[in-house]
Amino acid sequence: MKSAVILISGRGSNMQALVEAQPGLDFRAVISNRPAAGGLPWAASRGIETRVVDHKAHPSRESFDAALAQAVDAFAPDYLFLAGFMRILTEGFIHRYPRSILNIHPSLLPSFPGLDTHRRAMEAGVKLHGATVHFVTPALDHGPILVQAAVPVLEGDTEDALAARVLAQEHRIYPQAARWLAAGRVEFRGADVVQVRGSGVAGDWAIAPRDPP
Ligand code: GAR
């Protein structure tokens, strides 16, 4: 069985979704850069090893990433899942784990990289928003895309309502991506394009706001 380590910074709802889905990966540890991350006690309660590498204890990104790499390497994982991990990783760290670091981002990349994605999507007036699981490369929020899910932006939406609609999809597609990786179905086509062998589309794939019948 392939193994994984999950990196978090906060509540860890995506971490929970990954673990509870039992995607066929051995989750060896959860590591947080914040000692108070809400996800840590949950992981421990599931018998998963937890570690803290506090970014505030490090004078530079390089020294934090070196300590993080040491913590990760102790578990020798095949994959690293960033699940609400809110630190920008150095190129050195990313190159240490080629094609092995996954991230979930709350927008349909390449639209809205960075922070405050739901507010920015609403301000831009987009009608479809969503979430993306991608491989991490040094270009922030721009690595090869593994899976995306779209949701409509509805009349009268608030940022919180939109965020909740997106988060429900995050909890669906991150475990899906993990299952594909566990099954060895993920293939690179060149440096930028990822395909999943045998994946299809279930149900109504035209997601667009429309008048009710
Ligand atoms: C999630 O919405 C995730 O997509 C986002 O932070 C939230 C973490 O929630 N990640 C990023 O914005 C990464 N740039 P969680 O801790 O409950 O999984």
Side-chain angles (χ1 to χ4, degrees):
M1 190 188 281
K2 300 243 188 234
S3 60
V5 163
I6 304 175
L7 304 187
I8 64 169
S9 297
R11 69 188 163 182
S13 72
N14 277 292
M15 167 204 70
Q16 290 188 29
L18 281 168
V19 171
E20 282 177 340
Q22 301 187 331
L25 291 172
D26 174 19
F27 290 111
R28 293 188 176 161
V30 170
I31 303 176
S32 172
N33 65 304
R34 290 209 179 101
L40 286 173
W42 185 90
S45 77
R46 296 297 162 116
I48 301 172
E49 297 265 359
T50 61
R51 297 284 185 275
V52 173
V53 181
D54 188 347
H55 65 276
K56 289 195 176 141
H58 290 275
S60 67
R61 280 194 194 282
E62 286 70 22
S63 105
F64 168 73
D65 280 7
L68 184 62
Q70 204 176 12
V72 166
D73 291 350
F75 296 99
D78 294 300
Y79 295 107
L80 274 179
F81 286 82
L82 312 188
F85 184 69
M86 305 306 276
R87 297 290 301 172
I88 294 172
L89 295 163
T90 56
E91 256 188 77
F93 185 94
I94 291 166
H95 287 317
R96 194 180 175 97
Y97 308 100
R99 294 184 174 180
S100 306
I101 311 177
L102 284 301
N103 183 42
I104 184 139
H105 182 79
S107 78
L108 291 173
L109 292 173
S111 291
F112 311 117
L115 299 174
D116 297 324
T117 55
H118 309 305
R119 180 177 57 70
R120 287 160 57 213
M122 290 179 73
E123 284 172 3
V126 297
K127 305 306 179 215
L128 292 176
H129 183 43
T132 302
V133 176
H134 66 97
F135 282 93
V136 173
T137 63
L140 182 67
D141 293 333
H142 276 293
I145 291 171
L146 185 44
V147 58
Q148 295 182 299
V151 301
V153 181
L154 300 175
E155 191 188 343
D157 251 348
T158 61
E159 199 178 323
D160 284 350
L162 183 56
R165 195 175 305 126
V166 171
L167 191 65
Q169 293 305 313
E170 295 185 38
H171 294 166
R172 193 176 62 77
I173 62 173
Y174 218 6
Q176 177 70 79
R179 279 191 290 273
W180 285 333
L181 289 164
R185 289 171 56 191
V186 176
E187 291 169 353
F188 273 78
R189 281 213 161 180
D192 298 323
V193 175
V194 166
Q195 288 197 329
V196 180
R197 259 186 297 112
S199 66
V201 173
D204 178 1
W205 47 265
I207 301 163
R210 60 185 168 220
D211 289 331

